[in-house]
Amino acid sequence: MSAIFEAELVFFNNKAFKSKIPMPGTTSDVLAVTEEVRANCSASPAAAVYEFYKRKQKIDIFLCVTDEQENTGYDGRSCWGGIGRNSESSFAGPFAKYLAEVHPSAKMSFVSFLRGPTDAGAMVSDLKARGIEAAQMRMDGERPDLSKFDG
């Protein structure tokens, strides 16, 4: 998708980072990125959006692929033991600041791998609580139906 949309691809663990292949365009590139980028127990999607806020870089559409389970804020504080959901360090905080101070018409879309049909997604819910609408493609985290991407 990053190659199709000529989009910047940003990954996150406890901080935002890019892969050595900035825009994978071939199957080999994608496989190389999947070997390079590994989960490591920290998840801070807020760190990725905070980078764009910090640089004051205008992005029209953000696409976040996530299980919506943050455990680290953009500033490294734990979402479990300290900051809690919907704080200024979790995803909704930096995105709200981004909209207010950088690009008010930016849109957020999620591909959310969730824990069942009743799971609304914590990040989408936190944005909604702040009056920020976000598009969401819901996927079953246990059995994702990737055929939905054809549409």
Side-chain angles (χ1 to χ4, degrees):
M1 289 179 72
S2 65
I4 291 169
F5 293 113
E6 297 179 7
E8 189 170 347
L9 190 56
V10 179
F11 299 95
F12 51 85
N13 46 37
N14 63 334
K15 61 183 186 289
F17 65 95
K18 295 180 183 178
S19 78
K20 294 174 186 161
I21 301 170
M23 192 179 302
T26 67
T27 304
S28 296
D29 288 348
V30 171
L31 292 174
V33 170
T34 63
E35 289 298 317
E36 176 190 354
V37 177
R38 294 288 185 196
N40 70 356
C41 298
S42 291
S44 180
V49 78
Y50 186 74
E51 288 300 312
F52 294 98
Y53 167 76
K54 205 167 55 173
R55 294 190 310 241
K56 307 294 186 213
Q57 183 178 354
K58 287 189 175 186
I59 302 295
D60 292 328
I61 300 171
F62 288 90
L63 176 62
C64 186
V65 180
T66 178
D67 62 6
E68 296 203 36
Q69 296 180 35
E70 297 179 90
N71 62 18
T72 306
Y74 75 86
D75 54 6
R77 292 190 303 171
S78 169
C79 290
W80 289 334
I83 66 170
R85 282 186 46 213
N86 207 8
S87 77
E88 293 309 306
S89 290
S90 66
F91 187 84
F95 190 66
K97 286 175 76 169
Y98 180 86
L99 290 174
E101 299 174 28
V102 179
H103 192 26
S105 60
K107 303 290 182 210
M108 178 60 67
S109 293
F110 287 88
V111 176
S112 300
F113 291 86
L114 303 171
R115 289 179 250 150
T118 59
D119 185 359
M123 293 165 59
V124 169
S125 297
D126 290 348
L127 288 171
K128 193 174 205 172
R130 291 175 181 251
I132 301 168
E133 291 299 317
Q136 183 185 48
M137 178 183 287
R138 300 170 55 84
M139 306 291 277
D140 183 331
E142 298 296 317
R143 299 179 320 123
D145 177 7
L146 302 180
S147 68
K148 291 180 180 182
F149 285 113
D150 292 343

